[in-house]
PDB file of all heavy atoms in Angstrom:
ATOM      1  N   ASP A   1       0.838  -1.207   0.000  1.00 85.00           N
ATOM      2  CA  ASP A   1       0.000   0.000   0.000  1.00 85.00           C
ATOM      3  C   ASP A   1       0.867   1.248   0.000  1.00 85.00           C
ATOM      4  O   ASP A   1       1.929   1.306   0.654  1.00 85.00           O
ATOM      5  CB  ASP A   1      -0.915   0.014   1.224  1.00 85.00           C
ATOM      6  CG  ASP A   1      -1.931  -1.122   1.179  1.00 85.00           C
ATOM      7  OD1 ASP A   1      -2.351  -1.482   0.060  1.00 85.00           O
ATOM      8  OD2 ASP A   1      -2.263  -1.678   2.253  1.00 85.00           O
ATOM      9  N   ILE A   2       0.391   2.270  -0.752  1.00 83.00           N
ATOM     10  CA  ILE A   2       1.094   3.560  -0.860  1.00 83.00           C
ATOM     11  C   ILE A   2       0.113   4.674  -0.442  1.00 83.00           C
ATOM     12  O   ILE A   2      -0.970   4.810  -1.027  1.00 83.00           O
ATOM     13  CB  ILE A   2       1.578   3.811  -2.300  1.00 83.00           C
ATOM     14  CG1 ILE A   2       2.505   2.665  -2.755  1.00 83.00           C
ATOM     15  CG2 ILE A   2       2.289   5.159  -2.409  1.00 83.00           C
ATOM     16  CD1 ILE A   2       2.878   2.752  -4.206  1.00 83.00           C
ATOM     17  N   HIS A   3       0.526   5.408   0.581  1.00 74.00           N
ATOM     18  CA  HIS A   3      -0.278   6.556   1.072  1.00 74.00           C
ATOM     19  C   HIS A   3      -1.690   6.136   1.449  1.00 74.00           C
ATOM     20  O   HIS A   3      -2.616   6.945   1.356  1.00 74.00           O
ATOM     21  CB  HIS A   3      -0.361   7.664   0.008  1.00 74.00           C
ATOM     22  CG  HIS A   3       0.984   8.204  -0.402  1.00 74.00           C
ATOM     23  ND1 HIS A   3       1.979   8.524   0.489  1.00 74.00           N
ATOM     24  CD2 HIS A   3       1.499   8.464  -1.631  1.00 74.00           C
ATOM     25  CE1 HIS A   3       3.062   8.960  -0.139  1.00 74.00           C
ATOM     26  NE2 HIS A   3       2.799   8.929  -1.458  1.00 74.00           N
ATOM     27  N   ALA A   4      -1.889   4.895   1.815  1.00 71.00           N
ATOM     28  CA  ALA A   4      -3.167   4.398   2.332  1.00 71.00           C
ATOM     29  C   ALA A   4      -4.292   4.419   1.317  1.00 71.00           C
ATOM     30  O   ALA A   4      -5.372   3.896   1.589  1.00 71.00           O
ATOM     31  CB  ALA A   4      -3.590   5.192   3.568  1.00 71.00           C
ATOM     32  N   LYS A   5      -4.064   4.989   0.117  1.00 80.00           N
ATOM     33  CA  LYS A   5      -5.117   5.010  -0.900  1.00 80.00           C
ATOM     34  C   LYS A   5      -4.747   4.214  -2.139  1.00 80.00           C
ATOM     35  O   LYS A   5      -5.614   3.712  -2.846  1.00 80.00           O
ATOM     36  CB  LYS A   5      -5.435   6.458  -1.310  1.00 80.00           C
ATOM     37  CG  LYS A   5      -6.253   7.205  -0.291  1.00 80.00           C
ATOM     38  CD  LYS A   5      -6.757   8.510  -0.880  1.00 80.00           C
ATOM     39  CE  LYS A   5      -7.712   9.213   0.101  1.00 80.00           C
ATOM     40  NZ  LYS A   5      -8.293  10.429  -0.505  1.00 80.00           N
ATOM     41  N   LEU A   6      -3.477   4.149  -2.402  1.00 86.00           N
ATOM     42  CA  LEU A   6      -3.006   3.424  -3.584  1.00 86.00           C
ATOM     43  C   LEU A   6      -2.417   2.062  -3.191  1.00 86.00           C
ATOM     44  O   LEU A   6      -1.800   1.923  -2.134  1.00 86.00           O
ATOM     45  CB  LEU A   6      -1.945   4.245  -4.327  1.00 86.00           C
ATOM     46  CG  LEU A   6      -2.415   5.561  -4.945  1.00 86.00           C
ATOM     47  CD1 LEU A   6      -1.231   6.291  -5.558  1.00 86.00           C
ATOM     48  CD2 LEU A   6      -3.482   5.322  -5.987  1.00 86.00           C
ATOM     49  N   ARG A   7      -2.629   1.102  -4.055  1.00 86.00           N
ATOM     50  CA  ARG A   7      -2.079  -0.242  -3.824  1.00 86.00           C
ATOM     51  C   ARG A   7      -1.394  -0.671  -5.105  1.00 86.00           C
ATOM     52  O   ARG A   7      -1.998  -0.677  -6.176  1.00 86.00           O
ATOM     53  CB  ARG A   7      -3.174  -1.222  -3.446  1.00 86.00           C
ATOM     54  CG  ARG A   7      -2.684  -2.668  -3.335  1.00 86.00           C
ATOM     55  CD  ARG A   7      -3.724  -3.560  -2.734  1.00 86.00           C
ATOM     56  NE  ARG A   7      -3.936  -3.253  -1.326  1.00 86.00           N
ATOM     57  CZ  ARG A   7      -4.825  -3.863  -0.543  1.00 86.00           C
ATOM     58  NH1 ARG A   7      -5.603  -4.802  -1.067  1.00 86.00           N
ATOM     59  NH2 ARG A   7      -4.960  -3.528   0.724  1.00 86.00           N
ATOM     60  N   LEU A   8      -0.133  -1.047  -4.962  1.00 86.00           N
ATOM     61  CA  LEU A   8       0.672  -1.502  -6.096  1.00 86.00           C
ATOM     62  C   LEU A   8       0.811  -3.015  -6.011  1.00 86.00           C
ATOM     63  O   LEU A   8       1.201  -3.564  -4.977  1.00 86.00           O
ATOM     64  CB  LEU A   8       2.057  -0.845  -6.059  1.00 86.00           C
ATOM     65  CG  LEU A   8       2.980  -1.123  -7.242  1.00 86.00           C
ATOM     66  CD1 LEU A   8       2.354  -0.628  -8.548  1.00 86.00           C
ATOM     67  CD2 LEU A   8       4.331  -0.459  -7.021  1.00 86.00           C
ATOM     68  N   LEU A   9       0.498  -3.702  -7.103  1.00 86.00           N
ATOM     69  CA  LEU A   9       0.499  -5.177  -7.123  1.00 86.00           C
ATOM     70  C   LEU A   9       1.428  -5.682  -8.206  1.00 86.00           C
ATOM     71  O   LEU A   9       1.431  -5.156  -9.323  1.00 86.00           O
ATOM     72  CB  LEU A   9      -0.921  -5.685  -7.361  1.00 86.00           C
ATOM     73  CG  LEU A   9      -1.159  -7.199  -7.417  1.00 86.00           C
ATOM     74  CD1 LEU A   9      -2.517  -7.533  -6.824  1.00 86.00           C
ATOM     75  CD2 LEU A   9      -1.086  -7.716  -8.853  1.00 86.00           C
ATOM     76  N   HIS A  10       2.221  -6.695  -7.868  1.00 86.00           N
ATOM     77  CA  HIS A  10       3.070  -7.408  -8.828  1.00 86.00           C
ATOM     78  C   HIS A  10       2.602  -8.858  -8.907  1.00 86.00           C
ATOM     79  O   HIS A  10       2.226  -9.452  -7.893  1.00 86.00           O
ATOM     80  CB  HIS A  10       4.538  -7.384  -8.379  1.00 86.00           C
ATOM     81  CG  HIS A  10       5.295  -6.218  -8.907  1.00 86.00           C
ATOM     82  ND1 HIS A  10       6.662  -6.233  -9.087  1.00 86.00           N
ATOM     83  CD2 HIS A  10       4.883  -4.990  -9.314  1.00 86.00           C
ATOM     84  CE1 HIS A  10       7.073  -5.067  -9.555  1.00 86.00           C
ATOM     85  NE2 HIS A  10       6.002  -4.282  -9.695  1.00 86.00           N
ATOM     86  N   TYR A  11       2.659  -9.421 -10.076  1.00 85.00           N
ATOM     87  CA  TYR A  11       2.338 -10.836 -10.219  1.00 85.00           C
ATOM     88  C   TYR A  11       3.349 -11.490 -11.143  1.00 85.00           C
ATOM     89  O   TYR A  11       3.981 -10.807 -11.966  1.00 85.00           O
ATOM     90  CB  TYR A  11       0.908 -11.026 -10.750  1.00 85.00           C
ATOM     91  CG  TYR A  11       0.726 -10.614 -12.193  1.00 85.00           C
ATOM     92  CD1 TYR A  11       0.923 -11.528 -13.235  1.00 85.00           C
ATOM     93  CD2 TYR A  11       0.366  -9.304 -12.520  1.00 85.00           C
ATOM     94  CE1 TYR A  11       0.766 -11.143 -14.545  1.00 85.00           C
ATOM     95  CE2 TYR A  11       0.206  -8.915 -13.832  1.00 85.00           C
ATOM     96  CZ  TYR A  11       0.395  -9.845 -14.842  1.00 85.00           C
ATOM     97  OH  TYR A  11       0.250  -9.452 -16.147  1.00 85.00           O
ATOM     98  N   ARG A  12       3.486 -12.802 -10.943  1.00 84.00           N
ATOM     99  CA  ARG A  12       4.381 -13.574 -11.817  1.00 84.00           C
ATOM    100  C   ARG A  12       3.723 -14.917 -12.108  1.00 84.00           C
ATOM    101  O   ARG A  12       3.206 -15.587 -11.198  1.00 84.00           O
ATOM    102  CB  ARG A  12       5.743 -13.808 -11.159  1.00 84.00           C
ATOM    103  CG  ARG A  12       6.644 -14.743 -11.981  1.00 84.00           C
ATOM    104  CD  ARG A  12       8.009 -14.940 -11.394  1.00 84.00           C
ATOM    105  NE  ARG A  12       8.814 -13.743 -11.559  1.00 84.00           N
ATOM    106  CZ  ARG A  12      10.124 -13.677 -11.292  1.00 84.00           C
ATOM    107  NH1 ARG A  12      10.753 -14.751 -10.839  1.00 84.00           N
ATOM    108  NH2 ARG A  12      10.786 -12.550 -11.451  1.00 84.00           N
ATOM    109  N   ASP A  13       3.772 -15.277 -13.347  1.00 84.00           N
ATOM    110  CA  ASP A  13       3.226 -16.573 -13.770  1.00 84.00           C
ATOM    111  C   ASP A  13       4.242 -17.671 -13.421  1.00 84.00           C
ATOM    112  O   ASP A  13       5.342 -17.707 -13.972  1.00 84.00           O
ATOM    113  CB  ASP A  13       2.962 -16.546 -15.273  1.00 84.00           C
ATOM    114  CG  ASP A  13       2.216 -17.801 -15.745  1.00 84.00           C
ATOM    115  OD1 ASP A  13       2.142 -18.776 -14.968  1.00 84.00           O
ATOM    116  OD2 ASP A  13       1.713 -17.796 -16.880  1.00 84.00           O
ATOM    117  N   ILE A  14       3.877 -18.536 -12.478  1.00 83.00           N
ATOM    118  CA  ILE A  14       4.780 -19.633 -12.043  1.00 83.00           C
ATOM    119  C   ILE A  14       4.216 -20.997 -12.441  1.00 83.00           C
ATOM    120  O   ILE A  14       4.529 -22.017 -11.827  1.00 83.00           O
ATOM    121  CB  ILE A  14       5.022 -19.579 -10.518  1.00 83.00           C
ATOM    122  CG1 ILE A  14       3.691 -19.711  -9.767  1.00 83.00           C
ATOM    123  CG2 ILE A  14       5.749 -18.317 -10.117  1.00 83.00           C
ATOM    124  CD1 ILE A  14       3.871 -19.876  -8.276  1.00 83.00           C
ATOM    125  N   THR A  15       3.397 -20.987 -13.482  1.00 83.00           N
ATOM    126  CA  THR A  15       2.812 -22.257 -13.938  1.00 83.00           C
ATOM    127  C   THR A  15       3.894 -23.239 -14.364  1.00 83.00           C
ATOM    128  O   THR A  15       3.814 -24.444 -14.074  1.00 83.00           O
ATOM    129  CB  THR A  15       1.851 -21.997 -15.100  1.00 83.00           C
ATOM    130  OG1 THR A  15       0.864 -21.059 -14.693  1.00 83.00           O
ATOM    131  CG2 THR A  15       1.165 -23.286 -15.539  1.00 83.00           C
ATOM    132  N   ASP A  16       4.909 -22.705 -15.057  1.00 82.00           N
ATOM    133  CA  ASP A  16       5.996 -23.600 -15.500  1.00 82.00           C
ATOM    134  C   ASP A  16       6.706 -24.250 -14.324  1.00 82.00           C
ATOM    135  O   ASP A  16       7.127 -25.411 -14.400  1.00 82.00           O
ATOM    136  CB  ASP A  16       6.998 -22.806 -16.342  1.00 82.00           C
ATOM    137  CG  ASP A  16       6.408 -22.380 -17.675  1.00 82.00           C
ATOM    138  OD1 ASP A  16       5.387 -22.983 -18.067  1.00 82.00           O
ATOM    139  OD2 ASP A  16       6.953 -21.456 -18.299  1.00 82.00           O
ATOM    140  N   THR A  17       6.823 -23.486 -13.231  1.00 78.00           N
ATOM    141  CA  THR A  17       7.470 -24.053 -12.043  1.00 78.00           C
ATOM    142  C   THR A  17       6.662 -25.216 -11.496  1.00 78.00           C
ATOM    143  O   THR A  17       7.199 -26.290 -11.191  1.00 78.00           O
ATOM    144  CB  THR A  17       7.623 -22.969 -10.968  1.00 78.00           C
ATOM    145  OG1 THR A  17       8.398 -21.895 -11.482  1.00 78.00           O
ATOM    146  CG2 THR A  17       8.300 -23.539  -9.725  1.00 78.00           C
ATOM    147  N   TYR A  18       5.341 -25.029 -11.382  1.00 72.00           N
ATOM    148  CA  TYR A  18       4.477 -26.092 -10.860  1.00 72.00           C
ATOM    149  C   TYR A  18       4.441 -27.297 -11.795  1.00 72.00           C
ATOM    150  O   TYR A  18       4.565 -28.440 -11.374  1.00 72.00           O
ATOM    151  CB  TYR A  18       3.061 -25.556 -10.642  1.00 72.00           C
ATOM    152  CG  TYR A  18       2.843 -25.031  -9.245  1.00 72.00           C
ATOM    153  CD1 TYR A  18       3.305 -23.768  -8.888  1.00 72.00           C
ATOM    154  CD2 TYR A  18       2.195 -25.795  -8.299  1.00 72.00           C
ATOM    155  CE1 TYR A  18       3.120 -23.286  -7.607  1.00 72.00           C
ATOM    156  CE2 TYR A  18       1.994 -25.319  -7.010  1.00 72.00           C
ATOM    157  CZ  TYR A  18       2.468 -24.058  -6.671  1.00 72.00           C
ATOM    158  OH  TYR A  18       2.281 -23.596  -5.404  1.00 72.00           O
ATOM    159  N   THR A  19       4.244 -27.007 -13.079  1.00 80.00           N
ATOM    160  CA  THR A  19       4.177 -28.125 -14.038  1.00 80.00           C
ATOM    161  C   THR A  19       5.527 -28.829 -14.150  1.00 80.00           C
ATOM    162  O   THR A  19       5.591 -30.050 -14.339  1.00 80.00           O
ATOM    163  CB  THR A  19       3.737 -27.624 -15.414  1.00 80.00           C
ATOM    164  OG1 THR A  19       4.625 -26.567 -15.856  1.00 80.00           O
ATOM    165  CG2 THR A  19       2.319 -27.095 -15.359  1.00 80.00           C
ATOM    166  N   GLY A  20       6.598 -28.059 -14.047  1.00 78.00           N
ATOM    167  CA  GLY A  20       7.928 -28.670 -14.094  1.00 78.00           C
ATOM    168  C   GLY A  20       8.160 -29.611 -12.914  1.00 78.00           C
ATOM    169  O   GLY A  20       8.686 -30.716 -13.065  1.00 78.00           O
ATOM    170  N   LEU A  21       7.734 -29.143 -11.716  1.00 72.00           N
ATOM    171  CA  LEU A  21       7.864 -30.006 -10.545  1.00 72.00           C
ATOM    172  C   LEU A  21       7.002 -31.256 -10.679  1.00 72.00           C
ATOM    173  O   LEU A  21       7.407 -32.357 -10.318  1.00 72.00           O
ATOM    174  CB  LEU A  21       7.487 -29.223  -9.285  1.00 72.00           C
ATOM    175  CG  LEU A  21       8.450 -28.103  -8.880  1.00 72.00           C
ATOM    176  CD1 LEU A  21       7.876 -27.321  -7.705  1.00 72.00           C
ATOM    177  CD2 LEU A  21       9.816 -28.668  -8.509  1.00 72.00           C
ATOM    178  N   ARG A  22       5.788 -31.078 -11.189  1.00 75.00           N
ATOM    179  CA  ARG A  22       4.897 -32.225 -11.372  1.00 75.00           C
ATOM    180  C   ARG A  22       5.479 -33.195 -12.401  1.00 75.00           C
ATOM    181  O   ARG A  22       5.426 -34.404 -12.229  1.00 75.00           O
ATOM    182  CB  ARG A  22       3.529 -31.735 -11.826  1.00 75.00           C
ATOM    183  CG  ARG A  22       2.485 -32.844 -11.894  1.00 75.00           C
ATOM    184  CD  ARG A  22       1.156 -32.294 -12.361  1.00 75.00           C
ATOM    185  NE  ARG A  22       0.717 -31.207 -11.511  1.00 75.00           N
ATOM    186  CZ  ARG A  22      -0.134 -30.262 -11.907  1.00 75.00           C
ATOM    187  NH1 ARG A  22      -0.597 -30.262 -13.144  1.00 75.00           N
ATOM    188  NH2 ARG A  22      -0.517 -29.322 -11.074  1.00 75.00           N
ATOM    189  N   THR A  23       6.032 -32.635 -13.468  1.00 79.00           N
ATOM    190  CA  THR A  23       6.659 -33.487 -14.484  1.00 79.00           C
ATOM    191  C   THR A  23       7.841 -34.246 -13.892  1.00 79.00           C
ATOM    192  O   THR A  23       8.033 -35.442 -14.154  1.00 79.00           O
ATOM    193  CB  THR A  23       7.112 -32.646 -15.676  1.00 79.00           C
ATOM    194  OG1 THR A  23       5.992 -31.947 -16.218  1.00 79.00           O
ATOM    195  CG2 THR A  23       7.742 -33.514 -16.746  1.00 79.00           C
ATOM    196  N   SER A  24       8.625 -33.532 -13.063  1.00 75.00           N
ATOM    197  CA  SER A  24       9.767 -34.188 -12.417  1.00 75.00           C
ATOM    198  C   SER A  24       9.304 -35.316 -11.500  1.00 75.00           C
ATOM    199  O   SER A  24       9.907 -36.399 -11.452  1.00 75.00           O
ATOM    200  CB  SER A  24      10.578 -33.171 -11.613  1.00 75.00           C
ATOM    201  OG  SER A  24      11.095 -32.173 -12.461  1.00 75.00           O
ATOM    202  N   PHE A  25       8.189 -35.065 -10.779  1.00 71.00           N
ATOM    203  CA  PHE A  25       7.651 -36.092  -9.894  1.00 71.00           C
ATOM    204  C   PHE A  25       7.185 -37.315 -10.686  1.00 71.00           C
ATOM    205  O   PHE A  25       7.468 -38.461 -10.320  1.00 71.00           O
ATOM    206  CB  PHE A  25       6.497 -35.508  -9.080  1.00 71.00           C
ATOM    207  CG  PHE A  25       5.756 -36.545  -8.280  1.00 71.00           C
ATOM    208  CD1 PHE A  25       6.310 -37.085  -7.130  1.00 71.00           C
ATOM    209  CD2 PHE A  25       4.507 -36.982  -8.693  1.00 71.00           C
ATOM    210  CE1 PHE A  25       5.626 -38.050  -6.396  1.00 71.00           C
ATOM    211  CE2 PHE A  25       3.819 -37.945  -7.968  1.00 71.00           C
ATOM    212  CZ  PHE A  25       4.389 -38.470  -6.810  1.00 71.00           C
ATOM    213  N   LEU A  26       6.457 -37.059 -11.785  1.00 77.00           N
ATOM    214  CA  LEU A  26       5.960 -38.166 -12.594  1.00 77.00           C
ATOM    215  C   LEU A  26       7.116 -38.939 -13.231  1.00 77.00           C
ATOM    216  O   LEU A  26       7.081 -40.172 -13.321  1.00 77.00           O
ATOM    217  CB  LEU A  26       5.009 -37.644 -13.678  1.00 77.00           C
ATOM    218  CG  LEU A  26       3.681 -37.076 -13.167  1.00 77.00           C
ATOM    219  CD1 LEU A  26       2.876 -36.505 -14.328  1.00 77.00           C
ATOM    220  CD2 LEU A  26       2.886 -38.131 -12.416  1.00 77.00           C
ATOM    221  N   GLN A  27       8.149 -38.190 -13.670  1.00 78.00           N
ATOM    222  CA  GLN A  27       9.316 -38.866 -14.234  1.00 78.00           C
ATOM    223  C   GLN A  27      10.015 -39.726 -13.178  1.00 78.00           C
ATOM    224  O   GLN A  27      10.419 -40.861 -13.447  1.00 78.00           O
ATOM    225  CB  GLN A  27      10.284 -37.837 -14.812  1.00 78.00           C
ATOM    226  CG  GLN A  27       9.779 -37.172 -16.091  1.00 78.00           C
ATOM    227  CD  GLN A  27      10.725 -36.088 -16.572  1.00 78.00           C
ATOM    228  OE1 GLN A  27      11.632 -35.668 -15.847  1.00 78.00           O
ATOM    229  NE2 GLN A  27      10.507 -35.633 -17.806  1.00 78.00           N
ATOM    230  N   GLY A  28      10.157 -39.129 -11.977  1.00 72.00           N
ATOM    231  CA  GLY A  28      10.775 -39.891 -10.892  1.00 72.00           C
ATOM    232  C   GLY A  28       9.962 -41.122 -10.532  1.00 72.00           C
ATOM    233  O   GLY A  28      10.501 -42.203 -10.274  1.00 72.00           O
ATOM    234  N   LEU A  29       8.614 -40.958 -10.530  1.00 72.00           N
ATOM    235  CA  LEU A  29       7.752 -42.087 -10.218  1.00 72.00           C
ATOM    236  C   LEU A  29       7.852 -43.172 -11.291  1.00 72.00           C
ATOM    237  O   LEU A  29       7.875 -44.379 -10.990  1.00 72.00           O
ATOM    238  CB  LEU A  29       6.309 -41.605 -10.093  1.00 72.00           C
ATOM    239  CG  LEU A  29       5.304 -42.591  -9.495  1.00 72.00           C
ATOM    240  CD1 LEU A  29       5.704 -42.957  -8.069  1.00 72.00           C
ATOM    241  CD2 LEU A  29       3.911 -42.004  -9.523  1.00 72.00           C
ATOM    242  N   PHE A  30       7.938 -42.740 -12.553  1.00 78.00           N
ATOM    243  CA  PHE A  30       8.085 -43.705 -13.642  1.00 78.00           C
ATOM    244  C   PHE A  30       9.412 -44.455 -13.530  1.00 78.00           C
ATOM    245  O   PHE A  30       9.470 -45.679 -13.692  1.00 78.00           O
ATOM    246  CB  PHE A  30       7.997 -42.980 -14.991  1.00 78.00           C
ATOM    247  CG  PHE A  30       8.308 -43.875 -16.163  1.00 78.00           C
ATOM    248  CD1 PHE A  30       7.382 -44.811 -16.607  1.00 78.00           C
ATOM    249  CD2 PHE A  30       9.539 -43.787 -16.814  1.00 78.00           C
ATOM    250  CE1 PHE A  30       7.672 -45.640 -17.679  1.00 78.00           C
ATOM    251  CE2 PHE A  30       9.829 -44.614 -17.887  1.00 78.00           C
ATOM    252  CZ  PHE A  30       8.895 -45.536 -18.323  1.00 78.00           C
ATOM    253  N   LEU A  31      10.475 -43.685 -13.241  1.00 78.00           N
ATOM    254  CA  LEU A  31      11.782 -44.349 -13.073  1.00 78.00           C
ATOM    255  C   LEU A  31      11.763 -45.297 -11.879  1.00 78.00           C
ATOM    256  O   LEU A  31      12.359 -46.388 -11.930  1.00 78.00           O
ATOM    257  CB  LEU A  31      12.879 -43.283 -12.895  1.00 78.00           C
ATOM    258  CG  LEU A  31      13.201 -42.448 -14.134  1.00 78.00           C
ATOM    259  CD1 LEU A  31      14.227 -41.373 -13.802  1.00 78.00           C
ATOM    260  CD2 LEU A  31      13.731 -43.329 -15.261  1.00 78.00           C
ATOM    261  N   SER A  32      11.069 -44.883 -10.795  1.00 74.00           N
ATOM    262  CA  SER A  32      10.963 -45.766  -9.627  1.00 74.00           C
ATOM    263  C   SER A  32      10.206 -47.035  -9.981  1.00 74.00           C
ATOM    264  O   SER A  32      10.571 -48.138  -9.564  1.00 74.00           O
ATOM    265  CB  SER A  32      10.253 -45.045  -8.483  1.00 74.00           C
ATOM    266  OG  SER A  32      10.990 -43.920  -8.070  1.00 74.00           O
ATOM    267  N   LEU A  33       9.134 -46.874 -10.767  1.00 76.00           N
ATOM    268  CA  LEU A  33       8.363 -48.037 -11.183  1.00 76.00           C
ATOM    269  C   LEU A  33       9.195 -48.967 -12.049  1.00 76.00           C
ATOM    270  O   LEU A  33       9.180 -50.190 -11.880  1.00 76.00           O
ATOM    271  CB  LEU A  33       7.113 -47.580 -11.936  1.00 76.00           C
ATOM    272  CG  LEU A  33       6.160 -48.685 -12.404  1.00 76.00           C
ATOM    273  CD1 LEU A  33       5.626 -49.461 -11.207  1.00 76.00           C
ATOM    274  CD2 LEU A  33       5.014 -48.103 -13.206  1.00 76.00           C
ATOM    275  N   LEU A  34       9.942 -48.361 -12.994  1.00 80.00           N
ATOM    276  CA  LEU A  34      10.811 -49.167 -13.849  1.00 80.00           C
ATOM    277  C   LEU A  34      11.878 -49.884 -13.033  1.00 80.00           C
ATOM    278  O   LEU A  34      12.141 -51.081 -13.215  1.00 80.00           O
ATOM    279  CB  LEU A  34      11.454 -48.269 -14.913  1.00 80.00           C
ATOM    280  CG  LEU A  34      12.411 -48.957 -15.897  1.00 80.00           C
ATOM    281  CD1 LEU A  34      11.672 -50.021 -16.701  1.00 80.00           C
ATOM    282  CD2 LEU A  34      13.057 -47.933 -16.829  1.00 80.00           C
ATOM    283  N   PHE A  35      12.470 -49.134 -12.109  1.00 77.00           N
ATOM    284  CA  PHE A  35      13.490 -49.730 -11.245  1.00 77.00           C
ATOM    285  C   PHE A  35      12.879 -50.830 -10.378  1.00 77.00           C
ATOM    286  O   PHE A  35      13.520 -51.865 -10.118  1.00 77.00           O
ATOM    287  CB  PHE A  35      14.113 -48.645 -10.363  1.00 77.00           C
ATOM    288  CG  PHE A  35      15.179 -49.150  -9.438  1.00 77.00           C
ATOM    289  CD1 PHE A  35      16.421 -49.549  -9.913  1.00 77.00           C
ATOM    290  CD2 PHE A  35      14.934 -49.248  -8.078  1.00 77.00           C
ATOM    291  CE1 PHE A  35      17.394 -50.021  -9.046  1.00 77.00           C
ATOM    292  CE2 PHE A  35      15.898 -49.716  -7.210  1.00 77.00           C
ATOM    293  CZ  PHE A  35      17.134 -50.106  -7.695  1.00 77.00           C
ATOM    294  N   SER A  36      11.639 -50.632  -9.931  1.00 75.00           N
ATOM    295  CA  SER A  36      10.966 -51.637  -9.100  1.00 75.00           C
ATOM    296  C   SER A  36      10.722 -52.920  -9.884  1.00 75.00           C
ATOM    297  O   SER A  36      10.863 -54.024  -9.349  1.00 75.00           O
ATOM    298  CB  SER A  36       9.636 -51.097  -8.573  1.00 75.00           C
ATOM    299  OG  SER A  36       9.845 -49.962  -7.775  1.00 75.00           O
ATOM    300  N   VAL A  37      10.352 -52.774 -11.159  1.00 79.00           N
ATOM    301  CA  VAL A  37      10.140 -53.955 -11.996  1.00 79.00           C
ATOM    302  C   VAL A  37      11.442 -54.729 -12.148  1.00 79.00           C
ATOM    303  O   VAL A  37      11.489 -55.962 -12.012  1.00 79.00           O
ATOM    304  CB  VAL A  37       9.569 -53.555 -13.365  1.00 79.00           C
ATOM    305  CG1 VAL A  37       9.534 -54.752 -14.303  1.00 79.00           C
ATOM    306  CG2 VAL A  37       8.172 -52.973 -13.214  1.00 79.00           C
ATOM    307  N   LEU A  38      12.524 -53.971 -12.447  1.00 81.00           N
ATOM    308  CA  LEU A  38      13.828 -54.629 -12.577  1.00 81.00           C
ATOM    309  C   LEU A  38      14.251 -55.270 -11.257  1.00 81.00           C
ATOM    310  O   LEU A  38      14.780 -56.391 -11.226  1.00 81.00           O
ATOM    311  CB  LEU A  38      14.878 -53.612 -13.027  1.00 81.00           C
ATOM    312  CG  LEU A  38      14.667 -53.009 -14.424  1.00 81.00           C
ATOM    313  CD1 LEU A  38      15.719 -51.941 -14.707  1.00 81.00           C
ATOM    314  CD2 LEU A  38      14.718 -54.090 -15.498  1.00 81.00           C
ATOM    315  N   LEU A  39      13.986 -54.534 -10.159  1.00 76.00           N
ATOM    316  CA  LEU A  39      14.339 -55.069  -8.854  1.00 76.00           C
ATOM    317  C   LEU A  39      13.525 -56.313  -8.531  1.00 76.00           C
ATOM    318  O   LEU A  39      14.041 -57.283  -7.951  1.00 76.00           O
ATOM    319  CB  LEU A  39      14.110 -54.006  -7.777  1.00 76.00           C
ATOM    320  CG  LEU A  39      14.442 -54.426  -6.339  1.00 76.00           C
ATOM    321  CD1 LEU A  39      15.927 -54.728  -6.205  1.00 76.00           C
ATOM    322  CD2 LEU A  39      14.042 -53.341  -5.351  1.00 76.00           C
ATOM    323  N   SER A  40      12.238 -56.310  -8.887  1.00 77.00           N
ATOM    324  CA  SER A  40      11.400 -57.484  -8.615  1.00 77.00           C
ATOM    325  C   SER A  40      11.918 -58.707  -9.375  1.00 77.00           C
ATOM    326  O   SER A  40      11.934 -59.819  -8.841  1.00 77.00           O
ATOM    327  CB  SER A  40       9.949 -57.192  -8.984  1.00 77.00           C
ATOM    328  OG  SER A  40       9.826 -56.975 -10.384  1.00 77.00           O
TER     329      SER A  40
END
């Protein structure tokens, strides 16, 4: 807030960060599954 009447807002699109983490998780899960099959 500026001078109690004005409000300045910043935003950033972090969709790539979330999707990247989700992709990394799915890749890790797939590798774990593959490794589990080999281990079995």
Side-chain angles (χ1 to χ4, degrees):
D1 294 327
I2 302 173
H3 301 315
K5 284 191 174 185
L6 295 176
R7 174 170 291 178
L8 185 60
L9 180 146
H10 270 206
Y11 70 90
R12 174 177 288 189
D13 188 346
I14 60 171
T15 304
D16 291 342
T17 301
Y18 268 79
T19 55
L21 291 174
R22 186 180 304 156
T23 302
S24 298
F25 172 75
L26 292 176
Q27 289 176 347
L29 192 61
F30 173 75
L31 290 176
S32 298
L33 182 61
L34 180 62
F35 180 71
S36 299
V37 172
L38 295 176
L39 180 64
S40 65

